[in-house]
Amino acid sequence: GLRVHAWVNVNLVSDAEPPAARNHLVYTHPEWLMVPRPIAADLEQMNPRNPEYLRRLSEYAKSRSDRVEGVFLSPMHKGAVEHTAKVIGDIASRYAVDGLHLDYIRFPNDEFDYSTETLQAFRSTILSKASGAERREYSQRARGRPLFYTEMFPQQWQEFRRARLTGLLMRIRSTVKARRPRAVLSAAVFPDATDAATRRFQDWAGWLKSGLLDAICPMAYTTDHAVFRTQIASVEQL
């Protein structure tokens, strides 16, 4: 009667201290890593293959270990999404698991992802909906300001990141269900649905409603019984 669910760290790929193995993707694909806003302008000027790039990300995580668990893979990059889906698909194909449990399918906080490719993708999204006059105005105002579009369109910037994370989950679900249709797909989520969606871009309430997840595990990590009951009750109401 024992059932096995494979636990997968989705976006968290390394502790703040980079791994020793040189074939780890933090070395092979540093351009796929999430970048925090405070150092985005500096890293935008740097080749991700430069060892200093990873060192800066590592040092940032170390200095904020109370709220940034380590180095994160970005769901904004097509290559990263394909890599994650391939790894999870391999698990579903090779092992008779009853389910897959997704942990860290989120951003560390809303200060991420300001990587160069992501900023360029968001810029393209905004400009595709702008008039010719607006495109000329924005392009002029954005000179020397890599974060201009995220500052000019904060709501769209939030929605953009949330949509990309949902896109990653959609890719994972289709991969899993194609290989193991009966497998339960679950995720660890922040219990406050609003905080999860606006600060972690983890729209788990929407994911459940749309059928992208079969179950959730609220991270109600507290020794306060009243807080625990409140957190669980808020989840049950959705």
Side-chain angles (χ1 to χ4, degrees):
L2 183 66
R3 295 183 179 180
V4 177
H5 292 237
W7 171 44
V8 183
N9 279 351
V10 178
N11 291 334
L12 179 64
V13 292
S14 170
D15 291 333
E17 188 65 41
R22 300 302 299 184
N23 62 346
H24 194 283
L25 64 80
V26 299
Y27 300 114
T28 60
H29 288 287
E31 73 278 8
W32 291 352
L33 303 177
M34 287 197 201
V35 170
R37 187 179 188 280
I39 61 173
D42 291 343
L43 295 190
E44 196 264 343
Q45 304 295 324
M46 192 181 301
N47 187 327
R49 300 285 171 173
N50 184 332
E52 180 68 9
Y53 188 92
L54 179 58
R55 190 193 71 78
R56 291 291 302 274
L57 291 177
S58 176
E59 289 301 321
Y60 185 88
K62 287 179 185 176
S63 67
R64 292 160 178 78
S65 59
D66 60 325
R67 55 188 185 278
V68 179
E69 295 90 340
V71 177
F72 280 68
L73 193 64
S74 176
M76 318 299 276
H77 298 262
K78 182 178 179 180
V81 170
E82 291 303 315
H83 170 82
T84 300
K86 181 179 179 181
V87 170
I88 293 176
D90 184 60
I91 295 171
S93 296
R94 295 173 60 195
Y95 303 98
V97 293
D98 296 289
L100 286 104
H101 178 65
L102 310 177
D103 204 353
Y104 293 100
I105 184 159
R106 59 178 174 83
F107 285 58
N109 56 56
D110 55 5
E111 287 282 276
F112 294 76
D113 172 36
Y114 287 78
S115 61
T116 299
E117 186 176 321
T118 299
L119 293 176
Q120 291 174 346
F122 182 63
R123 170 182 173 275
S124 296
T125 297
I126 293 297
L127 293 181
S128 69
K129 302 173 184 177
S131 67
E134 287 172 331
R135 286 196 293 271
R136 289 190 292 273
E137 177 193 348
Y138 298 156
S139 296
Q140 184 176 18
R141 294 174 62 186
R143 289 175 184 170
R145 300 171 60 188
L147 309 186
F148 169 78
Y149 292 94
T150 66
E151 296 165 347
M152 184 74 177
F153 302 96
Q155 187 62 40
Q156 291 94 322
W157 177 228
Q158 276 220 357
E159 293 168 357
F160 182 75
R161 288 176 286 178
R162 193 158 41 242
R164 288 297 184 95
L165 187 61
T166 296
L168 170 62
L169 178 58
M170 292 173 66
R171 182 76 173 80
I172 290 172
R173 184 175 182 86
S174 64
T175 299
V176 170
K177 295 299 182 177
R179 291 160 175 76
R180 204 162 291 279
R182 291 188 175 184
V184 173
L185 192 64
S186 62
V189 302
F190 275 70
D192 185 315
T194 300
D195 175 70
T198 59
R199 296 201 64 244
R200 324 286 173 174
F201 309 113
Q202 184 184 61
D203 182 22
W204 59 259
W207 295 347
L208 283 174
K209 290 176 183 177
S210 62
L212 288 176
L213 286 177
D214 301 314
I216 59 168
C217 297
M219 297 188 294
Y221 303 150
T222 175
T223 56
D224 187 316
H225 293 181
V227 171
F228 178 81
R229 285 194 294 270
T230 299
Q231 289 179 330
I232 298 302
S234 67
V235 171
E236 291 176 335
Q237 292 172 6
L238 295 174

